[in-house]
Amino acid sequence: MDDLLIRSRRTVLPDGEHPAAVSIRDGRITAISGYSDDRPATASVDLGDVALLPGLVDTHVHINEPGRTEWEGFATATRAAAAGGVTTLIDMPLNSLPPTVGPAALAAKREAAEGACAVDVGFWGGAVPGNRAELRPLHDLGVFGFKCFTSDSGVPEFPPLPYGEMREAFREIASFGGLVIVHAEDPAALSAPTGGGYPEFLASRPPSAERRAVEQVVRLAEETGVRAHILHLSAADCLDVLAKAQADGLPITAETCPHYLTLSAEDASGAYLGGDPQIPGVRSPEPLASLRSPATAFKCCPPIRDAANRDRLWEGLASGVISCVVTDHSPCTPELKRGDFATAWGGISSLQLGLPVVWTAARERGHGLDDVVRWMSEAPAALAGVPGKGGIVVGNDADLVAFAPDATLTVDPAALHHRHPVTPYAGRTLAGAVETTWLRGVPAGERPAGRLLAREAR
């Protein structure tokens, strides 16, 4: 007898939506049958028209622990993930202290995460100047790949790789079949903002900076044979470069993020910029629910661009040039969001909100839940090689989400599980709501039942 049977008339399977029943035993999916099939189980749940999705896999999350746990931490980030339908995340090698650039730092990261996670967590390693000898040991210890920057990362302990050193790192990673993930902005095309407003910030990080860096990554990938992935693609001007590289057979993929698909420079320029008291959680005399989003909540690098660029990103996603949608959840303390666009920390917190944010925009553009699942679960799991994740498939972990696609959700920062309730989505009404998230067949978020994951050997 199975432990649990979950029925839904809108079960999203690898070949689309179907009425189905999913059987679970010992944390794994044991069978997928018809909606009305009567399979014995200790307990059953009938979702009716509430959709059943595979748990999301977010491969771009900055948890910041150890070292900067006041920004975020494993406990808070993974509770937010569970509330948002994310059952697996992979933690970036910065902005923790120490950054994950060697075996000792990975051990410190795993020690901080052990017993604290509400969902499953894996780790990226980092490629920085001088750590080439650490890359293979980190790979052997199970990191999912290696992140590098072409430009300043924002923290001094994780410096960028000059292109010459990047070539050597790519060659080393290619030698053991690893994956490199790249923050691609060419430093020669970046400048300091000439003022504190959003237009000045946007002008300081033009699309040409992304395009030039992506072109260089493509050249180095062709030269070294490394498998490469472009992180948080913001500039649609890069799509033709990526499409050609993919057509030429190069192992190059790309992701984008909910904020690039749903927000715009016009939104950011028109947002309220009223000083510290308007930032949720920072000595405000007003009730939290009444606060407007501070303008600097929109700041991230690369930046959110205009609405026409956003439309082209959707085209790139529909065509498959962009394969993944992940959050780049990059929180900080509210104090670091003070000031203007020239001085505030660049990062957007959206781990709990990614699914309804993307679904709201996707269905308006004619996409279905199966598309969202492909972008936010199947493709990220395949990119990183996360075992047992990414789809409602017999043998996979029973990581599942009950998602009400026609419900409405108004974003209240006070209801977020992120450590700090600063979000550009404050007050927005979204389509869809997560009702229950199961991790290996057990409701997630109620206890720290998450496991620490390692890369599946290829």
Side-chain angles (χ1 to χ4, degrees):
M1 181 177 291
D2 291 314
D3 301 320
L4 178 64
L5 180 73
I6 305 177
R7 306 178 194 272
S8 169
R9 296 188 184 93
R10 301 188 64 180
T11 303
V12 182
L13 302 175
D15 63 346
E17 281 190 40
H18 301 277
V22 178
S23 299
I24 299 162
R25 184 170 61 249
D26 296 331
R28 291 189 178 272
I29 297 170
T30 55
I32 300 167
S33 54
Y35 177 79
S36 299
D37 287 359
D38 189 20
R39 290 180 57 89
T42 302
S44 64
V45 176
D46 192 337
L47 298 177
D49 291 327
V50 171
L52 184 64
L53 317 182
L56 303 190
V57 177
D58 194 338
T59 53
H60 197 148
V61 180
H62 295 267
I63 296 179
N64 307 327
E65 186 177 4
R68 290 192 175 99
T69 312
E70 71 275 13
W71 293 18
E72 188 67 280
F74 287 104
T76 51
T78 58
R79 282 199 301 270
V86 177
T87 52
T88 303
L89 57 83
I90 306 184
D91 176 53
M92 283 291 168
L94 72 163
N95 303 301
S96 56
L97 294 170
T100 315
V101 295
L106 177 62
K109 179 87 75 169
R110 292 180 67 89
E111 182 180 359
E114 189 69 50
C117 299
V119 300
D120 289 354
V121 175
F123 304 97
W124 295 109
V128 297
N131 85 322
R132 183 180 173 187
E134 308 285 2
L135 301 179
R136 185 181 290 269
L138 281 168
H139 178 80
D140 292 342
L141 288 168
V143 299
F144 285 86
F146 299 90
K147 181 175 186 176
C148 66
F149 280 75
T150 61
S151 57
D152 181 32
S153 72
V155 291
E157 67 275 2
F158 202 97
L161 277 177
Y163 289 129
E165 290 192 55
M166 187 174 291
R167 176 183 290 106
E168 296 308 309
F170 281 19
R171 189 171 285 128
E172 174 68 9
I173 294 167
S175 73
F176 51 74
L179 169 67
V180 64
I181 60 175
V182 187
H183 179 124
E185 290 181 284
D186 190 292
L190 303 178
S191 60
T194 59
Y198 195 79
E200 294 90 345
F201 170 66
L202 184 61
S204 74
R205 307 187 88 98
S208 60
E210 283 189 77
R211 184 180 175 100
R212 285 166 54 171
V214 167
E215 289 172 338
Q216 184 65 20
V217 171
V218 168
R219 284 192 290 269
L220 292 178
E222 185 174 23
E223 178 184 335
T224 64
V226 79
R227 189 163 62 102
H229 179 73
I230 303 299
L231 297 168
H232 45 46
L233 188 72
S234 157
D237 286 356
C238 300
L239 290 171
D240 63 325
V241 178
L242 291 165
K244 183 180 186 305
Q246 292 166 359
D248 289 343
L250 292 179
I252 301 254
T253 52
E255 69 186 39
T256 193
C257 304
H259 41 279
Y260 300 129
L261 294 171
T262 61
L263 303 177
S264 69
E266 293 86 345
D267 295 329
S269 296
Y272 183 77
L273 185 60
D276 297 347
Q278 296 299 321
I279 298 179
V282 181
R283 297 187 301 279
S284 172
E286 302 177 59
L288 186 63
S290 72
L291 294 176
R292 289 171 285 183
S293 173
T296 52
F298 288 82
K299 183 178 178 180
C300 57
C301 299
I304 296 164
R305 305 191 188 278
D306 62 33
N309 177 87
R310 179 182 62 196
D311 291 342
R312 292 170 60 203
L313 289 178
W314 277 101
E315 293 171 5
L317 194 58
S319 71
V321 174
I322 301 171
S323 56
C324 303
V325 179
V326 291
T327 62
D328 188 12
H329 177 72
S330 186
C332 66
T333 62
E335 288 78 7
L336 291 176
K337 280 293 189 182
R338 291 177 173 178
D340 58 25
F341 283 100
T343 59
W345 174 261
I348 290 179
S349 299
S350 59
L351 186 55
Q352 186 171 333
L353 299 172
L355 177 55
V357 165
V358 173
W359 171 238
T360 300
R363 74 172 188 172
E364 290 175 355
R365 293 172 181 266
H367 296 288
L369 283 172
D370 55 337
D371 295 316
V372 173
V373 164
R374 185 173 66 256
W375 301 329
M376 302 188 76
S377 184
E378 179 183 335
L383 167 76
V386 189
K389 310 292 186 181
I392 300 178
V393 176
V394 172
N396 270 7
D397 289 345
D399 296 352
L400 302 165
V401 181
F403 182 67
D406 298 321
T408 58
L409 168 70
T410 299
V411 178
D412 176 6
L416 299 177
H417 293 275
H418 310 149
R419 186 175 296 278
H420 302 293
V422 179
T423 172
Y425 301 107
R428 291 187 176 232
T429 299
L430 305 175
V434 172
E435 293 191 350
T436 307
T437 301
W438 291 272
L439 181 70
R440 286 182 292 279
V442 176
E446 297 177 0
R447 56 192 178 91
R451 296 175 181 172
L452 304 187
L453 304 177
R455 184 198 71 263
E456 185 174 62
R458 295 190 177 216

